[in-house]
Amino acid sequence: MGRRRGTTKGDRRERAILDTARDLLSTTPVGRLTIDQLTAGAGISRSSFYFYFDSKTAVLEALLDEIAEEMVEAARRWLDGSGDDPDSLRHALEVSARLWREHGPLLRQALLAEDQEFASFRENVVARYVKEGAARIARDRQEGLAGPGPDPQSLAHALIRMKFAVFAADSSVEAVETLCAVVRRAMYGALPATGS
Amino acid sequence: MGRRRGTTKGDRRERAILDTARDLLSTTPVGRLTIDQLTAGAGISRSSFYFYFDSKTAVLEALLDEIAEEMVEAARRWLDGSGDDPDSLRHALEVSARLWREHGPLLRQALLAEDQEFASFRENVVARYVKEGAARIARDRQEGLAGPGPDPQSLAHALIRMKFAVFAADSSVEAVETLCAVVRRAMYGALPATGS
DNA sequence: GACAATACTCGACGCTGTGTTGAGTATTCC
DNA sequence: GGAATACTCAACACAGCGTCGAGTATTGTC
């Protein structure tokens, strides 16, 4: 199965498949993407496709790995920081918003739908975010930078899911602002004594 | 196209298809549901299916209408109320959680994935929630029951999407509690002067 | 209780899309 | 130049969707 070293024709074709997929998936929903489209874009026959990838899903997974890396990277500064830090938070959200704008159809299917094919990818990404997010929340509370609130794990989970779902529907600047506000209030905001 | 009045054999079969679908969809993801399964469950042949419904999607839409009604109904008391009202809010969330538990696969596909087939249904449900939610937020602010915050429309949108996404992943009691807390803080919580 | 209209049923067909196989051609390394 | 490996493809088998046309059952009406 191994390839030779150096950039061979095969490598270029593999890349061409990936690029075609990336391209088509900025507009086409995952369900409508066919292998025929991919091979047409890459200039090979349907059956040659199977030399490079086991299935359509394998292509999508390769793309997702590239995207997920970018996403977590952008959140790094905020995740590693502490206390209410609107600028880092906004930066993380802005990059996320851009990624959702560029790869909406793919991310929606992989992160939101329940597609069994992406289950493990989804669990990994979400779990990673939740773990680091919960740690940050717990840290802030311990250091007295945030008041008490819901279980950090559960709170982080809700906020991450909110981010995904909002950007899936709307990755505008306003959405970034609103998410920023909700996250900050959820983490640092205090409820008045008892609502009227 | 019209049927005769009274409950005919045809009506019973139509119901049988719907029930079979409801049943299978409590465990099977939408993508895996085939018309063959539906007709097997209802005891008719594949082609007879098309006498009752135009497509698989038509069956799903019929089911979704039933579910959506219940969902909005459960939120009625909170949507029509005013001020911080944890009990009404919790009640609405609890019913929602149950519906997601029972119809998870279907709701996930219809509300979260970008399936073009459900686009209009999705827009309707979300738009309805957002409209009523935004109105409630604006009302509370006008009456001085809530402080300032993000644009009501945008805030309502984020909170609704969060609800959908969280329940899609986890409709436990704890999730209800967390959502309750986040919604209340987002609407009524105040941020301290300036962080750190 | 016949008979027309309408409700309902189904087998057979064509289509699109997936994935496999086996035989072939190109490339690279020695 | 020859063997190993990279790559290519036409042909096939299969699953699922939706259509067509020819039927059979049921019902309302006289």
Side-chain angles (χ1 to χ4, degrees), chain A residues 64-111:
Chain A
L64 282 170
D65 283 339
E66 299 180 6
I67 300 167
E69 202 44 54
E70 266 192 86
M71 225 182 220
V72 178
E73 206 41 55
R76 195 72 284 140
R77 203 172 83 214
W78 185 76
L79 285 170
D80 288 345
S82 72
D84 187 13
D85 180 358
D87 289 340
S88 296
L89 177 58
R90 188 172 294 109
H91 173 257
L93 291 172
E94 272 163 359
V95 174
S96 260
R98 180 177 58 76
L99 289 171
W100 278 90
R101 235 173 286 133
E102 282 167 17
H103 307 290
L106 179 53
L107 288 171
R108 266 185 284 273
Q109 196 60 31
L111 290 178

Side-chain angles (χ1 to χ4, degrees), chain A residues 31-48:
Chain A
R32 295 215 177 287
L33 183 71
T34 70
I35 293 179
D36 279 333
Q37 292 176 303
L38 255 29
T39 55
I44 55 176
S45 81
R46 243 183 64 70
S47 34
S48 284

